[in-house]
Amino acid sequence: MEPWQRSWTVNKYWVMARSQSIYEKIKKIATSGQSENEKERTYRSLLAEATQMTPTIVTLRNTYQHVWGYYKKKATMAEKEFYLEELAQLSLKKDRLGPFLAHLAVKYQVQYLLRSRLITDYLTIVDSSTNYFN
């Protein structure tokens, strides 16, 4: 796996939360006819572009739905209810769903997500004593 591809696995959901368009462009890099150096440059440029963007409700909701797919068969009924409630009332000013999904990554030891930038960014603010069901 090329260095840019390893970086992509870490940044995938973080980029998705900012721009579906950039996410799709990066996905196409792997199958493009570019040299590996060109792919790396294109990827880095698109990643830098995503850095300048902030998530919207639409991009965040879509990303959280993708991340939820890792838990939906493992989650308890209370976790499912919390997820659905928070998704329905998702707010950029008070986002409890991102930290909750990070909490679930730890609880269920989803290694792919535990290496994901989106989740690791939330893990810096997740308090293990947080009770999400109050």
Side-chain angles (χ1 to χ4, degrees):
M1 184 180 288
E2 295 296 324
W4 74 268
Q5 291 170 314
R6 282 191 294 280
S7 174
W8 174 234
T9 62
V10 169
N11 288 297
K12 175 181 170 181
Y13 291 119
W14 183 87
V15 169
M16 183 187 284
R18 281 154 179 73
S19 170
Q20 187 68 36
S21 173
I22 292 174
Y23 173 83
E24 292 298 330
K25 287 176 185 176
I26 293 174
K27 276 181 39 177
K28 289 180 182 176
I29 292 173
T31 58
S32 75
Q34 297 177 315
S35 71
E36 286 306 319
N37 285 339
E38 290 170 327
K39 289 178 182 182
E40 174 86 27
R41 277 194 299 279
T42 303
Y43 168 73
R44 294 287 171 202
S45 174
L46 289 167
L47 188 59
E49 188 178 336
T51 301
Q52 303 303 311
M53 304 175 92
T54 55
T56 67
I57 290 295
V58 172
T59 58
L60 210 49
R61 182 175 286 120
N62 179 53
T63 302
Y64 288 167
Q65 289 171 322
H66 276 82
V67 171
W68 176 252
Y70 288 88
Y71 313 123
K72 67 182 180 184
K73 292 182 180 175
K74 301 174 185 179
T76 66
M77 187 56 69
E79 290 166 342
K80 289 175 185 178
E81 289 171 3
F82 183 85
Y83 165 77
L84 291 172
E85 286 172 20
E86 290 299 315
L87 189 66
Q89 59 190 9
L90 187 60
S91 163
L92 295 177
K93 291 184 180 182
K94 189 175 184 211
D95 177 7
R96 292 179 1 131
L97 192 50
F100 176 68
L101 293 172
H103 164 79
L104 292 181
V106 172
K107 177 180 177 180
Y108 294 114
Q109 286 298 293
V110 180
Q111 295 304 312
Y112 180 74
L113 292 179
L114 289 171
R115 291 186 294 273
S116 166
R117 182 177 180 182
L118 179 76
I119 297 300
T120 58
D121 283 357
Y122 284 125
L123 286 175
T124 63
I125 61 171
V126 169
D127 179 351
S128 62
S129 66
T130 299
N131 183 350
Y132 288 96
F133 309 109
N134 287 341

